Amino acid sequence: MLARLALALGLALTSSCAPRTGSSVPAASRFTGATLFAALERSGCYGWCPAYRVLVFADGTLEYEGEHFVLHKGLHRGQVTPAQLAALREAFERAGYVALADRYVDFDYTDFPMVTTALRLPDRIKVVHHDLGDTSAPAELLLLEEEIDAILEMERWIGTPEQREQLRSSW
């Protein structure tokens, strides 16, 4: 899953409207053709960690794909407001995202999920890979990852912790 996001983000630099092919994520929204603005992907773990990816495009299109331990599996489409886009931009700026290292993957603890975030800049796409078991990652990155979920109201897609716990018995 993380490799697909990294590949898609790399493709986004060279193509503004690449179609979805195989397992890659589109560089542009398949619904509107809009340019990728930001992304977040959470991998699974050996437990019940929700695994999903969300892409946000410049026109406000949101593309969510739930994989494991989430309320909604599969590909879904939504819309974010201009205020949410502005809040995302501010959250990335507050975190000093551009200055962060590209990788925080020297984990101190095992069995933690990986979180990959991305932001389109004028000249490139900045991607940060973060193993949540790596204690060297700055607090600003952890806060940003949580803030992205909150701004995009991800619980509507992945479910609240209580909803996921109820679903757990059926998994």
Side-chain angles (χ1 to χ4, degrees):
M1 189 161 59
L2 294 172
R4 292 192 308 231
L5 180 61
L7 173 65
L9 295 172
L11 291 173
L13 290 173
T14 60
S15 171
S16 64
C17 195
R20 183 179 176 112
T21 57
S23 63
S24 67
V25 178
S29 168
R30 77 183 84 198
F31 300 108
T32 67
T35 303
L36 182 68
F37 171 69
L40 176 134
E41 181 170 8
R42 293 185 183 271
S43 73
C45 64
Y46 291 119
W48 301 98
C49 303
Y52 60 94
R53 106 179 101 271
V54 61
L55 305 172
V56 178
F57 297 89
D59 70 347
T61 298
L62 177 143
E63 292 179 16
Y64 159 86
E65 188 168 4
E67 292 200 3
H68 303 292
F69 310 116
V70 292
L71 184 61
H72 299 285
K73 291 184 179 181
L75 182 64
H76 299 273
R77 177 183 177 203
Q79 192 70 28
V80 298
T81 66
Q84 287 172 301
L85 284 173
L88 277 176
R89 182 174 286 109
E90 290 169 11
F92 277 97
E93 287 174 8
R94 259 192 320 279
Y97 190 75
V98 174
L100 293 174
D102 294 339
R103 303 179 67 76
Y104 297 95
V105 296
D106 295 328
F107 56 86
D108 302 299
Y109 303 101
T110 60
D111 189 31
F112 279 78
M114 178 78 74
V115 180
T116 300
T117 52
L119 177 67
R120 178 180 287 282
L121 302 170
D123 60 340
R124 64 188 170 102
I125 294 180
K126 167 76 174 178
V127 178
V128 176
H129 300 283
H130 175 210
D131 186 302
L132 291 180
D134 185 337
T135 59
S136 74
E140 293 83 4
L141 178 58
L142 290 164
L143 181 60
L144 173 64
E145 293 161 354
E146 295 300 320
E147 214 173 347
I148 292 169
D149 280 338
I151 291 167
L152 297 178
E153 302 169 347
M154 292 309 298
E155 284 188 347
R156 69 182 157 153
W157 304 101
I158 67 171
T160 63
E162 295 80 19
Q163 289 172 314
R164 291 194 314 271
E165 183 62 33
Q166 288 176 354
L167 290 171
R168 182 176 164 185
S169 62
S170 67
W171 292 325

